[in-house]
Amino acid sequence: MEGICDDRLPDMKPTAKRKLASFVSVIRKLRDLAYKGTSPADLIRRLVDLVGFEDHLKNTQPDWESRWENVKELITFATEVASDTDAVEQQAATDERPKETPLRSFLQASMLSSEGDNKNEEDTKDKVIISTCHAAKGLEWPIVIIPSAEDGTFPFARSEDENEERSVD
């Protein structure tokens, strides 16, 4: 998507570029904050503010209060997740991007805490499920969307066994 906005992908319509520009801007801002070691709770708050999510819920959802409570619970959970801020601060002082950010720690902790959740088929109807490829092994869904499968992204460039990484069955 950044390639479209940065004119690295030829023959893209200007309307597509305009529609993606604000999204790409938000992603870039949040990515920069994440690499600087911003806490996951602050990243979520910034995301919610940048996209106007609370107003969107108020304008589109009759049960917006309960949905907004879910967002606040996510922020609370993100606040509770402990992260190794000393290592992040030391890495952030250099020009290199940190390998272990508070966001990465939060995502790993939330993945571990959600494994085994939503096992009931009725609970998962009409819901989007975000999963890693490793967690998805052996599971079945009617529709699967893979946002990026470029060489170096999938399989991960630093993976020990690329054939194992490619095997999702």
Side-chain angles (χ1 to χ4, degrees), residues 10-111:
D11 301 326
M12 294 305 297
K13 295 181 180 180
T15 54
K17 289 180 191 177
R18 277 195 308 277
K19 290 178 180 179
L20 285 174
S22 62
F23 174 74
V24 169
S25 174
V26 168
I27 296 302
R28 285 177 173 164
K29 287 175 188 174
L30 293 172
R31 181 178 49 205
D32 289 343
L33 290 170
Y35 285 138
K36 291 177 183 175
T38 303
S39 74
D42 288 339
L43 289 171
I44 295 167
R45 285 186 200 100
R46 287 292 296 267
L47 173 62
V48 167
D49 290 341
L50 287 170
V51 300
F53 192 61
E54 183 177 14
D55 291 336
H56 170 75
L57 288 177
K58 286 179 182 178
N59 294 331
T60 61
Q61 303 298 320
D63 63 339
W64 74 270
E65 293 98 345
S66 66
R67 293 173 185 250
W68 185 245
E69 283 300 316
N70 291 338
V71 172
K72 293 195 297 190
E73 285 179 33
L74 177 64
I75 292 170
T76 301
F77 175 69
T79 303
E80 294 170 356
V81 173
S83 64
D84 186 5
T85 55
D86 293 338
V88 173
E89 288 173 7
Q90 290 172 358
Q91 289 175 338
T94 67
D95 290 337
E96 296 179 27
R97 291 183 171 171
K99 294 177 183 173
E100 186 66 32
T101 64
L103 177 60
R104 183 179 298 261
S105 299
F106 166 71
L107 292 174
Q108 288 172 346
S110 61
M111 181 183 74

